[in-house]
């Protein structure tokens, strides 16, 4: 076995059904009595539900709801939320939603040092990472800091029951992407690899059921469990080409986060396949329908999930492909295969066109 280092950041997790009712206890444990609740405009009703639950407990007084969380965590929204927070006198943060809301909670927590309780409603996994991606001046940049990691995470399967099948599919594949890259990360280790494979297996088997039967509780529970594991992987090891491509595409062309990860994943894996034969074999074993070919397994999964496969379907122009290749190959992340600009351009073109992934570059 190769040598490795393993660090585990402290983070409390509450997982189950009906666990939203435990949020007040988490705040009390943190000695936080004036929480600011964060959400997107579309999830105000969920934030208000949290506000009511928390506010019904003696001694806890929510200071309000900030409902402008936006994908890719734009700097101007963070600045506005920070002013709202300071004027409210909040002593803590509670975010409810997907990666956009979690990202805003992280941005505020790292700037203020306030405790952050994250309540995920999708399968993105951002809540388990000390990583923050922020967009300023049309370009998305990421940083990692233990202070970014939420203080506690409350997983409530009930909150995912109304997540539309399409969004369930893409946010789940987004989570799978975290674990796929974790399997060949430069600083990977056996513990993260075990979590990665279990997370991928859980999501790859449950997501097709959710798409066909959205109210299937066991499938929803299995998917949320898988997303948790994939998020842990993302938070503990480095990422490579896939995430660099998604950050470049999402931050520079305002493409939807989960959908972009879904489209890019099989193509990024296909590019790296020649350099990671052992990983490809392990992946094939946990992807149903792979026939010992991990790329085929991902193509089969995306077909079952009925997701869109082309970036052009989300507004990206063909003329943007060259610019995207330039951004994606500038200051590249570590990657198991050498980054070649012209081949990366072709990867992006295939993502734009919506072609099935193939390992021929």
């Amino acid at each position: 076995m190769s040598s490795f280092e393993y660090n585990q950041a402290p983070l409390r997790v509450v997982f189950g059904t009906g666990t939203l009712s435990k949020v007040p206890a988490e705040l009390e444990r943190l000695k936080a009595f004036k929480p600011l609740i964060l959400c997107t405009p579309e999830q105000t009703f969920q934030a208000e539900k949290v506000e009511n639950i928390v506010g019904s407990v003696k001694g806890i007084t929510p200071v309000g709801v900030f409902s402008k969380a936006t994908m890719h965590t734009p700097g101007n929204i963070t600045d506005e939320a920070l002013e709202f927070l300071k004027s409210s006198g909040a002593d803590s943060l509670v975010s409810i939603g997907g990666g956009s809301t979690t990202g805003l909670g992280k941005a505020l927590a790292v700037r203020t040092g306030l405790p952050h309780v994250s309540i995920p409603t999708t399968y993105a996994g951002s809540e388990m990472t000390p990583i923050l991606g922020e967009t300023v001046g049309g370009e998305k940049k990421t940083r990692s800091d233990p202070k970014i990691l939420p203080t506690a995470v409350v997983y409530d399967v009930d909150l995912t029951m109304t997540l539309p099948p399409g969004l369930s599919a893409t946010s789940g594949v987004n989570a799978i992407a975290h674990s796929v890259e974790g399997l060949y990360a430069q600083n990977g280790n056996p513990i993260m690899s075990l979590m990665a494979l279990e997370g991928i297996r859980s999501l790859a088997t449950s997501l097709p059921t959710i798409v066909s039967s959205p109210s299937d509780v066991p499938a929803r529970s299995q998917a949320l469990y898988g997303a948790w594991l994939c998020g842990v992987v993302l938070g503990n090891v480095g990422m490579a080409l896939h995430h660099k491509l998604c950050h470049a595409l999402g931050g520079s062309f305002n493409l939807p986060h989960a959908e972009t990860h879904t489209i890019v994943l099989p193509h990024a894996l296909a590019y790296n396949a020649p350099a990671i034969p052992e990983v490809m074999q392990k992946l094939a074993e946990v992807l149903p329908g792979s026939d010992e070919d991990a790329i085929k397994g991902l193509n089969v999964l995306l077909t079952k999930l009925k997701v869109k496969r082309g970036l052009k379907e989300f507004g990206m122009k063909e003329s943007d492909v060259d610019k995207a290749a330039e951004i994606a190959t500038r200051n590249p992340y570590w990657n198991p295969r050498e980054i070649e600009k012209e081949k990366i351009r072709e990867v992006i073109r295939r993502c734009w066109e919506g072609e099935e992934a193939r390992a021929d570059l």
Side-chain angles (χ1 to χ4, degrees):
M1 180 178 291
S2 301
S3 299
F4 64 90
E5 296 181 2
Y6 175 74
N7 295 293
Q8 181 61 60
L11 187 154
R12 177 175 166 80
V13 172
V14 178
F15 187 101
T17 300
T19 49
L20 195 62
S21 63
K22 297 184 179 181
V23 173
E26 293 305 304
L27 290 171
E28 290 177 327
R29 187 180 62 83
L30 295 168
K31 294 180 171 55
F33 305 105
K34 297 169 64 178
L36 171 63
I37 300 164
L38 309 172
C39 67
T40 62
E42 297 79 16
Q43 292 182 290
T44 302
F45 71 99
Q46 288 183 317
E48 290 174 346
K49 183 176 181 179
V50 173
E51 186 177 31
N52 291 334
I53 290 172
V54 171
S56 67
V57 175
K58 185 178 180 180
I60 301 181
T61 306
V63 299
V65 173
F66 184 85
S67 60
K68 297 184 181 180
T70 306
M71 67 178 182
H72 306 307
T73 319
N76 64 306
I77 296 296
T78 299
D79 291 342
E80 184 179 345
L82 190 58
E83 287 301 313
F84 186 96
L85 185 157
K86 290 177 178 178
S87 65
S88 71
D91 65 0
S92 55
L93 301 157
V94 176
S95 63
I96 181 165
S100 298
T101 308
T102 304
L104 178 58
K106 289 177 171 182
L108 295 175
V110 75
R111 285 167 169 79
T112 63
L114 295 180
H116 173 201
V117 177
S118 174
I119 309 169
T121 60
T122 70
Y123 306 126
S126 172
E127 67 281 352
M128 296 304 298
T129 78
I131 302 167
L132 173 62
E134 299 179 282
T135 304
V136 178
E139 189 164 341
K140 189 170 185 177
K141 297 182 178 180
T142 62
R143 55 173 164 152
S144 181
D145 187 318
K147 296 177 182 177
I148 292 171
L149 190 71
T151 317
V153 178
V154 177
Y155 287 104
D156 190 335
V157 176
D158 290 344
L159 295 176
T160 67
M161 297 304 297
T162 56
L163 188 66
L167 185 53
S168 297
T170 54
S171 74
V173 177
N174 180 16
I176 288 174
H178 305 330
S179 279
V180 168
E181 289 224 306
L183 288 170
Y184 53 76
Q186 185 179 26
N187 59 340
N189 62 70
I191 304 303
M192 288 301 109
S193 292
L194 287 171
M195 286 190 172
L197 291 169
E198 174 67 5
I200 294 167
R201 186 197 308 274
S202 296
L203 283 158
T205 55
S206 60
L207 291 175
T209 300
I210 289 171
V211 168
S212 61
S213 303
S215 59
D216 188 302
V217 176
R220 290 285 187 180
S221 184
Q222 186 180 22
L224 194 58
Y225 163 72
W228 170 20
L229 296 180
C230 292
V232 172
V233 174
L234 176 64
N236 281 276
V237 298
M239 297 291 104
L241 175 63
H242 169 86
H243 281 78
K244 178 64 175 182
L245 287 173
C246 291
H247 291 156
L249 291 163
S252 301
F253 304 100
N254 200 37
L255 297 170
H257 182 84
E259 289 82 353
T260 301
H261 277 268
T262 298
I263 291 169
V264 169
L265 176 58
H267 296 283
L269 180 65
Y271 179 86
N272 280 330
I276 50 171
E278 292 183 4
V279 168
M280 297 301 289
Q281 181 179 348
K282 291 178 180 178
L283 268 175
E285 292 171 359
V286 298
L287 291 170
S290 68
D291 293 333
E292 300 184 355
D293 180 344
I295 297 170
K296 178 183 177 182
L298 282 177
N299 283 328
V300 168
L301 176 62
L302 298 189
T303 299
K304 287 181 180 178
L305 299 182
K306 304 174 184 178
V307 294
K308 294 180 179 179
R309 300 292 297 270
L311 294 174
K312 64 182 180 181
E313 298 184 68
F314 296 98
M316 184 178 177
K317 300 175 182 177
E318 187 173 12
S319 58
D320 291 331
V321 171
D322 285 326
K323 181 181 178 182
E326 175 64 33
I327 296 171
T329 54
R330 187 193 309 155
N331 302 316
Y333 297 175
W334 176 90
N335 195 62
R337 180 182 175 184
E338 182 181 356
I339 300 298
E340 298 179 51
K341 186 175 180 179
E342 284 306 310
K343 291 184 178 180
I344 296 301
R345 184 197 182 282
E346 174 60 13
V347 168
I348 295 171
R349 187 203 65 77
R350 293 178 184 184
C351 292
W352 175 83
E353 183 64 46
E355 298 177 4
E356 282 209 341
R358 56 188 188 277
D360 60 355
L361 288 176

